[in-house]
Amino acid sequence: MTHVILQADRLTQHYGSTRALDALSLGIVEGTSTAIMGASGSGKTTLLHMLAGILTPGSGTVTFAGQAISGLPDSERSRLRREQFGFVFQQGLLIPELTAVENVALAPMLNGAKKSDAIGPAAQWLQALGLAGMEDRRIGQLSGGQAQRVAIARAQVTGARVIFADEPTGALDSNTSQDVMNALLSSTSGNGRTLVVVTHDPNVAARCQRVVTLSDGRIVADTAHAAGSNGAQS
Ligand SMILES: Nc1ncnc2c1ncn2[C@@H]1O[C@H](COP(=O)(O)OP(=O)(O)OP(=O)(O)O)[C@@H](O)[C@H]1O
């Protein structure tokens, strides 16, 4: 049975006279991969940030696992983000002074875990993402694709139920982009977790099970891909 883990209802957001989102409603089924596409300025990042509780909507609601999150106080939303959500951005926003494993361990440590307890799961995630042996390298000693896989590990080590990615392959060449999407899909929707990814890249979108296209803050296409790879390694 399908379970809607995230539900947006009639989200509207204005920035001055710009309407970034226009009464947009969208349900995301748990364990699936969804790409959000659309021209520059169509509202993709605004939508992602609202689904993730980073932004509160001007009007409308976002419900996560049955709880309305859009009206929660900042502190509650930030706890929810740390504990239930993971984030992967175009530039991994990793800390260059720390090693790969320390960067990943930082996520559970921010939730109160001791470093000695956080390092083991962090190393396991790096291994699962093909980075065994690179745990002690600093970020500058990794390729762009390897660094993005560290960011993917960091997004998930806390047990996040939903992973939000904003142009996760935007800074990578096409082969590396394929590798990173393999890693992202297999570790998320391939593993029962939910992935929502904003992308301009049709190759990235085609790997997802569903593609939602925005224009002027509205959904203008919503396509399910029977052939969505759901994380299969190709
Ligand atoms: N903080 C802000 N202040 C003013 N306008 C904003 C702000 N954030 C977004 N906008 C405007 O809202 C609209 C939607 O922006 P958004 O970043 O969501 O689009 P996008 O589809 O993610 O674009 P891109 O692909 O270029 O990242 C745009 O017209 C943008 O200029």
Side-chain angles (χ1 to χ4, degrees):
M1 219 176 88
T2 58
H3 170 242
V4 173
I5 189 165
L6 263 178
Q7 178 70 49
D9 280 309
R10 297 191 63 77
L11 295 182
T12 297
Q13 180 72 8
H14 288 94
Y15 294 109
S17 59
T18 303
R19 194 184 300 156
L21 292 180
D22 186 4
L24 186 150
S25 297
L26 175 69
I28 304 279
V29 172
E30 184 157 35
T32 62
S33 52
T34 301
I36 300 173
M37 295 196 82
S40 180
S42 57
K44 303 181 294 296
T45 297
T46 303
L47 174 60
L48 192 85
H49 286 183
M50 277 182 194
L51 291 173
I54 295 171
L55 279 175
T56 50
S59 66
T61 55
V62 175
T63 307
F64 165 70
Q67 181 185 24
I69 63 169
S70 34
L72 291 175
D74 283 356
S75 58
E76 282 294 298
R77 277 188 289 118
S78 91
R79 189 171 63 82
L80 188 81
R81 288 197 300 273
R82 284 199 315 272
E83 294 179 358
Q84 305 284 352
F85 298 158
F87 296 90
V88 181
F89 297 105
Q90 178 168 350
Q91 307 290 349
L93 302 181
L94 299 165
I95 298 175
E97 290 78 13
L98 298 182
T99 63
V101 76
E102 286 169 341
N103 265 282
V104 178
L106 203 54
M109 288 167 69
L110 288 173
N111 287 347
K114 282 193 275 182
K115 185 173 181 182
S116 54
D117 294 330
I119 289 285
Q124 276 171 12
W125 266 103
L126 290 177
Q127 192 172 13
L129 288 160
L131 296 175
M134 300 191 190
E135 295 86 349
D136 296 327
R137 290 204 197 172
R138 290 187 199 284
I139 303 310
Q141 298 170 316
L142 298 171
S143 70
Q146 289 164 344
Q148 240 358 18
R149 280 186 274 156
V150 174
I152 293 168
R154 186 190 52 187
Q156 298 194 73
V157 66
T158 54
R161 289 176 72 183
V162 184
I163 306 301
F164 295 97
D166 197 347
E167 299 284 3
T169 62
L172 305 174
D173 64 52
S174 63
N175 282 341
T176 312
S177 165
Q178 282 259 16
D179 289 346
V180 166
M181 276 310 285
N182 283 341
L184 187 57
L185 285 163
S186 58
S187 60
T188 55
S189 53
N191 218 357
R193 273 180 273 271
T194 308
L195 174 68
V196 182
V197 53
V198 162
T199 184
H200 281 110
D201 184 343
N203 294 320
V204 167
R207 303 285 312 277
C208 295
Q209 292 162 305
R210 179 182 182 192
V211 181
V212 173
T213 306
L214 305 189
S215 177
D216 293 333
R218 296 177 185 211
I219 294 175
V220 291
D222 188 346
T223 315
H225 283 180
S229 70
N230 199 20
Q233 303 278 339
S234 61

